[in-house]
Amino acid sequence: MWPSKLGILFACISCLGLAGPAQGERADRTKPINLESDRMRVDDVQKTSVFEGKVVMTQGTLTIRADKVTVHEDKDGYQYGTAIGNLATFRQKRDGADEYVDGEAERIEYDGKLDRVEFFNRARVKREPADEVRGNYISYDSRTEYFTVTGGTGPAASGSPDARVHAVIQPRNTAEEAGKAAAPGGPKR
């Protein structure tokens, strides 16, 4: 039974990134999961697994890096994962777009029952090429695609001196605007 438990474990680890702050590449879910760490402990009775030491998990376009990843499954089969590091990071291609989402925090938690990802302490989520949000706490509900970002107290909270929420949202060029800008005699920038 141990290999099937390990398969469930790997599936829930991938959820740390698959439920990230933008719809992740759907094809990633069918790709093999590769995991590297210095140590691994599995407790089948408690349905808990711990990976420690330079943890790197990849699945398709998804990459998660952390010092420690802990995964737990409840009695109903829902998975919960925590990635801890200085900083724990993830990167994944967005589904149907040529964009990537990067996120980092000291602690990243995934709740499989609520389909929610939370970033704690020095949290940052960036959608390439330039949209970014930073704060002490970021919560993303992938069912409703709803973000909550909170600043913190003290300079170390969000990595900024004033510990406030910071967001950069770039304007999107529409196809019509891009065509005018590229056409001879079109608006010059």
Side-chain angles (χ1 to χ4, degrees):
M1 278 289 198
W2 190 76
S4 65
K5 295 275 189 188
L6 194 55
I8 291 170
L9 166 72
F10 288 153
C12 73
I13 289 172
S14 69
C15 291
L16 282 170
L18 289 176
Q23 217 31 21
E25 184 78 20
R26 292 186 195 283
D28 286 349
R29 298 172 195 207
T30 63
K31 305 281 174 140
I33 297 169
N34 297 295
L35 188 96
E36 296 178 19
S37 66
D38 293 335
R39 293 169 301 286
M40 175 181 136
R41 293 186 320 268
V42 176
D43 182 340
D44 278 340
V45 174
Q46 298 296 318
K47 296 185 179 182
T48 301
S49 298
V50 179
F51 299 86
E52 294 180 294
K54 300 176 191 167
V55 181
V56 179
M57 194 280 300
T58 58
Q59 183 181 29
T61 67
L62 170 67
T63 301
I64 295 172
R65 296 177 187 274
D67 296 330
K68 180 178 178 180
V69 173
T70 303
V71 181
H72 175 74
E73 182 179 322
D74 70 14
K75 63 181 174 66
D76 297 323
Y78 290 105
Q79 288 94 25
Y80 306 86
T82 302
I84 297 172
N86 186 26
L87 298 163
T89 65
F90 81 87
R91 177 177 172 85
Q92 185 175 32
K93 186 177 183 300
R94 290 187 61 218
D95 193 42
D98 192 22
E99 297 177 343
Y100 280 81
V101 174
D102 293 295
E104 65 184 22
E106 291 177 15
R107 186 173 85 235
I108 302 172
E109 294 186 4
Y110 173 72
D111 181 326
K113 187 172 188 174
L114 299 177
D115 211 7
R116 180 177 60 207
V117 180
E118 296 175 292
F119 301 83
F120 298 88
N121 302 323
R122 297 189 294 156
R124 179 188 67 87
V125 175
K126 180 178 181 182
R127 182 178 68 189
E128 292 182 0
D131 292 347
E132 179 176 344
V133 64
R134 288 182 289 138
N136 193 49
Y137 170 78
I138 300 172
S139 175
Y140 177 72
D141 183 323
S142 65
R143 291 179 185 167
T144 62
E145 296 188 358
Y146 184 79
F147 274 98
T148 300
V149 183
T150 305
T153 57
S158 66
S160 67
D162 57 7
R164 293 171 47 91
V165 171
H166 293 269
V168 176
I169 303 169
Q170 297 294 328
R172 300 284 186 252
N173 286 341
T174 64
E176 182 180 319
E177 290 172 341
K180 288 179 184 176
K188 304 227 190 256
R189 295 188 177 229

